[in-house]
Amino acid sequence: MTAAISMALGWEPPSTYRFGGVAAAFVGCAAMVIISSKGGDSATDENLVEATDDGDNEADGYEGYEGIGLVIRHLSGHAFFFINCLCTSLYVLMSKAPLQFYSPLTVTALSYNIASLFMLITALLSSLSGSISSFLCPDCDKGIWHIPSSAFLALAYFVLFNSVGAYALLTWANRHVTGTLVMGYTVLQPVTAAILTAVLLGLRVYPSCEGLTEPSPCLDPPGWECLAGMAGIFLGLYFIITTEPSASSSIESSAENEGAEAGSTIEAIDDKYQSVSMGSC
């Protein structure tokens, strides 16, 4: 998405290899996500569904959503995710201009302040409608503003590392390379997740979901089939990295454009001067 917008606006030179790299990385990433989602259909998930169905069927948070209603929820989730990806691409592209005058941390902080204001307004307006609140958060049985105490540590990690830290690093990288290369590295998320899962399972921090008969926190081990997805991701990143415009070529291109503009300006001044001289004669 970022590459298409950049090339369409002329901010990056069009490249077939670059588009091929983006496509290969996307296919590899999608393959890993699909494989991991199929692996999640383990005994633990089935037991968890059974446990939530034993009671009043409210623990799953999707009571009342069946048939077409559930399809609408899924389609809405995909639509919101697409908008999220589009906004992230636009953030990378639109922050190029202020990064010429401000530091990456300043740009990130200003962006977060503006985004927080919009998020606050959206949350307040959403909380005024019970139907919207239940649609956006079907498992908020204790209220849309309630945060379980067990989620504090995970929320702190998300805010400090997955949000502030990640976007600060992303904005810093955006100052030095193209937006396509910046967003290209996001496909490494499933690779990182698979490696960390293998490490946590090896250290026995969490048990494997395979063979469990009771619902409990566990991790699905990555299979060998994930290597095919990883190969596509690394192949795509290789094409993206090797087709990255160098800083020197960008400077030379900019200098050539400025020289051409200066030359055309001088020629226009000469033509005007000659026409004025001829007219005075």
Side-chain angles (χ1 to χ4, degrees):
M1 189 180 298
T2 306
I5 296 175
S6 298
M7 295 180 187
L9 295 177
W11 295 351
E12 294 183 26
S15 172
T16 305
Y17 287 103
R18 202 165 179 81
F19 263 122
V22 172
F26 172 78
V27 172
C29 182
M32 289 195 65
V33 172
I34 293 174
I35 292 172
S36 63
S37 64
K38 289 182 177 180
D41 298 331
S42 58
T44 302
D45 297 314
E46 295 175 358
N47 291 332
L48 183 58
V49 172
E50 292 176 0
T52 56
D53 289 341
D54 288 341
D56 53 4
N57 200 26
E58 295 182 357
D60 55 3
Y62 289 94
E63 63 278 1
Y65 292 102
E66 297 180 357
I68 188 64
L70 193 58
V71 172
I72 292 176
R73 286 190 59 84
H74 288 166
L75 292 177
S76 300
H78 289 299
F80 287 145
F81 183 71
F82 175 82
I83 295 174
N84 170 69
C85 295
L86 176 61
C87 291
T88 304
S89 297
L90 293 177
Y91 167 78
V92 171
L93 297 176
M94 297 178 67
S95 62
K96 288 284 187 181
L99 282 173
Q100 297 179 1
F101 307 98
Y102 303 100
S103 67
L105 286 179
T106 301
V107 174
T108 305
L110 292 175
S111 302
Y112 263 74
N113 286 330
I114 297 174
S116 298
L117 178 61
F118 281 103
M119 286 296 298
L120 177 61
I121 295 174
T122 303
L124 289 175
L125 294 178
S126 300
S127 64
L128 298 178
S129 173
S131 58
I132 295 179
S133 299
S134 61
F135 181 81
L136 296 177
C137 187
D139 53 351
C140 294
D141 299 329
K142 296 183 179 181
I144 195 172
W145 298 104
H146 173 73
I147 301 177
S149 57
S150 58
F152 287 161
L153 186 60
L155 186 61
Y157 173 83
F158 180 86
V159 171
L160 294 177
F161 297 98
N162 198 36
S163 187
V164 177
Y167 269 85
L169 293 174
L170 182 145
T171 308
W172 174 84
N174 193 34
R175 192 177 193 178
H176 302 281
V177 297
T178 62
T180 300
L181 182 58
V182 172
M183 296 303 297
Y185 273 94
T186 59
V187 297
L188 288 176
Q189 293 182 14
V191 177
T192 305
I195 294 175
L196 287 178
T197 299
V199 171
L200 292 175
L201 289 175
L203 296 177
R204 300 185 183 277
V205 177
Y206 287 100
S208 174
C209 295
E210 296 180 349
L212 289 181
T213 58
E214 296 182 358
S216 61
C218 63
L219 294 174
D220 284 302
W224 291 104
E225 58 273 10
C226 289
L227 294 177
M230 291 184 181
I233 290 174
F234 288 121
L235 178 63
L237 283 178
Y238 170 78
F239 283 115
I240 295 175
I241 294 173
T242 54
T243 56
E244 175 74 5
S246 61
S248 59
S249 63
S250 300
I251 294 175
E252 292 175 357
S253 177
S254 176
E256 290 177 358
N257 293 334
E258 292 178 358
E261 293 178 358
S264 61
T265 303
I266 294 174
E267 291 178 358
I269 294 175
D270 290 340
D271 293 340
K272 186 175 182 180
Y273 176 76
Q274 291 177 2
S275 62
V276 172
S277 300
M278 293 176 65
S280 61
C281 293

